[in-house]
mmCIF file of all heavy atoms in Angstrom:
data_model
loop_
_atom_site.group_PDB
_atom_site.id
_atom_site.type_symbol
_atom_site.label_atom_id
_atom_site.label_comp_id
_atom_site.label_asym_id
_atom_site.label_seq_id
_atom_site.Cartn_x
_atom_site.Cartn_y
_atom_site.Cartn_z
ATOM 1 N N PHE W 133 -23.660 -35.231 -63.992
ATOM 2 C CA PHE W 133 -24.100 -36.537 -63.487
ATOM 3 C C PHE W 133 -23.155 -37.068 -62.403
ATOM 4 O O PHE W 133 -23.598 -37.691 -61.436
ATOM 5 C CB PHE W 133 -24.193 -37.537 -64.640
ATOM 6 C CG PHE W 133 -25.346 -37.272 -65.572
ATOM 7 C CD1 PHE W 133 -25.124 -36.808 -66.856
ATOM 8 C CD2 PHE W 133 -26.655 -37.465 -65.154
ATOM 9 C CE1 PHE W 133 -26.176 -36.553 -67.702
ATOM 10 C CE2 PHE W 133 -27.721 -37.214 -66.002
ATOM 11 C CZ PHE W 133 -27.486 -36.750 -67.285
ATOM 12 N N ARG W 134 -21.859 -36.815 -62.560
ATOM 13 C CA ARG W 134 -20.906 -37.274 -61.545
ATOM 14 C C ARG W 134 -21.091 -36.528 -60.232
ATOM 15 O O ARG W 134 -20.994 -37.108 -59.142
ATOM 16 C CB ARG W 134 -19.478 -37.111 -62.073
ATOM 17 C CG ARG W 134 -19.186 -38.040 -63.238
ATOM 18 C CD ARG W 134 -17.838 -37.775 -63.860
ATOM 19 N NE ARG W 134 -17.642 -38.606 -65.047
ATOM 20 C CZ ARG W 134 -16.572 -38.572 -65.815
ATOM 21 N NH1 ARG W 134 -15.577 -37.728 -65.548
ATOM 22 N NH2 ARG W 134 -16.490 -39.364 -66.867
ATOM 23 N N VAL W 135 -21.378 -35.225 -60.319
ATOM 24 C CA VAL W 135 -21.632 -34.467 -59.096
ATOM 25 C C VAL W 135 -22.907 -34.962 -58.422
ATOM 26 O O VAL W 135 -22.972 -35.097 -57.190
ATOM 27 C CB VAL W 135 -21.720 -32.960 -59.429
ATOM 28 C CG1 VAL W 135 -22.190 -32.179 -58.211
ATOM 29 C CG2 VAL W 135 -20.366 -32.442 -59.896
ATOM 30 N N VAL W 136 -23.933 -35.234 -59.233
ATOM 31 C CA VAL W 136 -25.191 -35.748 -58.670
ATOM 32 C C VAL W 136 -24.956 -37.096 -57.989
ATOM 33 O O VAL W 136 -25.511 -37.378 -56.915
ATOM 34 C CB VAL W 136 -26.251 -35.869 -59.784
ATOM 35 C CG1 VAL W 136 -27.478 -36.617 -59.286
ATOM 36 C CG2 VAL W 136 -26.637 -34.482 -60.276
ATOM 37 N N ALA W 137 -24.108 -37.943 -58.596
ATOM 38 C CA ALA W 137 -23.830 -39.250 -57.990
ATOM 39 C C ALA W 137 -23.101 -39.109 -56.666
ATOM 40 O O ALA W 137 -23.293 -39.925 -55.746
ATOM 41 C CB ALA W 137 -23.002 -40.105 -58.957
ATOM 42 N N LEU W 138 -22.266 -38.081 -56.527
ATOM 43 C CA LEU W 138 -21.493 -37.913 -55.293
ATOM 44 C C LEU W 138 -22.256 -37.115 -54.235
ATOM 45 O O LEU W 138 -21.838 -37.082 -53.082
ATOM 46 C CB LEU W 138 -20.171 -37.207 -55.613
ATOM 47 C CG LEU W 138 -19.100 -37.236 -54.523
ATOM 48 C CD1 LEU W 138 -18.711 -38.672 -54.187
ATOM 49 C CD2 LEU W 138 -17.878 -36.437 -54.948
ATOM 50 N N ALA W 139 -23.364 -36.460 -54.603
ATOM 51 C CA ALA W 139 -24.095 -35.599 -53.667
ATOM 52 C C ALA W 139 -24.555 -36.332 -52.405
ATOM 53 O O ALA W 139 -24.423 -35.779 -51.300
ATOM 54 C CB ALA W 139 -25.281 -34.958 -54.388
ATOM 55 N N PRO W 140 -25.091 -37.563 -52.481
ATOM 56 C CA PRO W 140 -25.489 -38.229 -51.221
ATOM 57 C C PRO W 140 -24.329 -38.425 -50.256
ATOM 58 O O PRO W 140 -24.524 -38.357 -49.037
ATOM 59 C CB PRO W 140 -26.043 -39.576 -51.710
ATOM 60 C CG PRO W 140 -26.479 -39.320 -53.096
ATOM 61 C CD PRO W 140 -25.495 -38.341 -53.661
ATOM 62 N N TYR W 141 -23.121 -38.660 -50.785
ATOM 63 C CA TYR W 141 -21.965 -38.846 -49.898
ATOM 64 C C TYR W 141 -21.640 -37.556 -49.156
ATOM 65 O O TYR W 141 -21.196 -37.587 -48.002
ATOM 66 C CB TYR W 141 -20.761 -39.313 -50.723
ATOM 67 C CG TYR W 141 -19.479 -39.391 -49.940
ATOM 68 C CD1 TYR W 141 -19.304 -40.347 -48.944
ATOM 69 C CD2 TYR W 141 -18.436 -38.496 -50.187
ATOM 70 C CE1 TYR W 141 -18.135 -40.409 -48.224
ATOM 71 C CE2 TYR W 141 -17.254 -38.554 -49.471
ATOM 72 C CZ TYR W 141 -17.108 -39.519 -48.493
ATOM 73 O OH TYR W 141 -15.955 -39.577 -47.766
ATOM 74 N N ALA W 142 -21.879 -36.406 -49.835
ATOM 75 C CA ALA W 142 -21.591 -35.116 -49.198
ATOM 76 C C ALA W 142 -22.684 -34.692 -48.233
ATOM 77 O O ALA W 142 -22.489 -33.765 -47.454
ATOM 78 C CB ALA W 142 -21.407 -34.044 -50.279
ATOM 79 N N THR W 143 -23.844 -35.348 -48.274
ATOM 80 C CA THR W 143 -24.929 -35.011 -47.361
ATOM 81 C C THR W 143 -24.625 -35.558 -45.967
ATOM 82 O O THR W 143 -24.119 -36.667 -45.825
ATOM 83 C CB THR W 143 -26.250 -35.610 -47.875
ATOM 84 O OG1 THR W 143 -26.459 -35.177 -49.224
ATOM 85 C CG2 THR W 143 -27.418 -35.159 -47.029
ATOM 86 N N SER W 144 -24.942 -34.784 -44.950
ATOM 87 C CA SER W 144 -24.670 -35.250 -43.584
ATOM 88 C C SER W 144 -25.566 -36.436 -43.251
ATOM 89 O O SER W 144 -26.706 -36.548 -43.734
ATOM 90 C CB SER W 144 -24.907 -34.121 -42.587
ATOM 91 O OG SER W 144 -26.291 -33.877 -42.444
ATOM 92 N N TRP W 194 -28.038 -45.541 -49.989
ATOM 93 C CA TRP W 194 -28.218 -44.229 -50.632
ATOM 94 C C TRP W 194 -26.994 -43.340 -50.451
ATOM 95 O O TRP W 194 -26.582 -42.635 -51.371
ATOM 96 C CB TRP W 194 -29.448 -43.547 -50.036
ATOM 97 C CG TRP W 194 -29.790 -42.262 -50.710
ATOM 98 C CD1 TRP W 194 -30.466 -42.103 -51.878
ATOM 99 C CD2 TRP W 194 -29.432 -40.948 -50.265
ATOM 100 N NE1 TRP W 194 -30.560 -40.762 -52.182
ATOM 101 C CE2 TRP W 194 -29.941 -40.044 -51.218
ATOM 102 C CE3 TRP W 194 -28.741 -40.459 -49.152
ATOM 103 C CZ2 TRP W 194 -29.784 -38.663 -51.085
ATOM 104 C CZ3 TRP W 194 -28.579 -39.088 -49.026
ATOM 105 C CH2 TRP W 194 -29.092 -38.210 -49.971
ATOM 106 N N ARG W 195 -26.353 -43.401 -49.285
ATOM 107 C CA ARG W 195 -25.234 -42.491 -49.012
ATOM 108 C C ARG W 195 -23.953 -42.925 -49.717
ATOM 109 O O ARG W 195 -23.151 -42.081 -50.112
ATOM 110 C CB ARG W 195 -24.973 -42.400 -47.503
ATOM 111 C CG ARG W 195 -26.041 -41.652 -46.734
ATOM 112 C CD ARG W 195 -25.555 -41.264 -45.364
ATOM 113 N NE ARG W 195 -24.477 -40.293 -45.446
ATOM 114 C CZ ARG W 195 -23.322 -40.418 -44.806
ATOM 115 N NH1 ARG W 195 -23.077 -41.482 -44.062
ATOM 116 N NH2 ARG W 195 -22.383 -39.498 -44.926
ATOM 117 N N GLY W 198 -22.920 -43.649 -54.658
ATOM 118 C CA GLY W 198 -22.230 -42.721 -55.543
ATOM 119 C C GLY W 198 -20.724 -42.682 -55.302
ATOM 120 O O GLY W 198 -19.935 -42.605 -56.256
ATOM 121 N N TYR W 199 -20.316 -42.762 -54.036
ATOM 122 C CA TYR W 199 -18.884 -42.764 -53.709
ATOM 123 C C TYR W 199 -18.188 -43.969 -54.340
ATOM 124 O O TYR W 199 -17.142 -43.840 -54.985
ATOM 125 C CB TYR W 199 -18.733 -42.776 -52.188
ATOM 126 C CG TYR W 199 -17.323 -42.962 -51.700
ATOM 127 C CD1 TYR W 199 -16.449 -41.882 -51.635
ATOM 128 C CD2 TYR W 199 -16.872 -44.210 -51.293
ATOM 129 C CE1 TYR W 199 -15.161 -42.052 -51.171
ATOM 130 C CE2 TYR W 199 -15.587 -44.390 -50.835
ATOM 131 C CZ TYR W 199 -14.734 -43.304 -50.781
ATOM 132 O OH TYR W 199 -13.453 -43.484 -50.342
ATOM 133 N N LEU W 202 -17.908 -43.693 -58.231
ATOM 134 C CA LEU W 202 -16.801 -42.887 -58.756
ATOM 135 C C LEU W 202 -15.474 -43.639 -58.687
ATOM 136 O O LEU W 202 -14.605 -43.469 -59.550
ATOM 137 C CB LEU W 202 -16.705 -41.566 -57.995
ATOM 138 C CG LEU W 202 -17.861 -40.592 -58.239
ATOM 139 C CD1 LEU W 202 -17.603 -39.266 -57.557
ATOM 140 C CD2 LEU W 202 -18.068 -40.356 -59.734
#
Side-chain angles (χ1 to χ4, degrees):
F133 289 110
R134 293 174 185 178
V135 172
V136 170
L138 194 60
Y141 174 69
T143 306
S144 73
W194 185 81
R195 289 196 66 230
Y199 172 82
L202 291 186

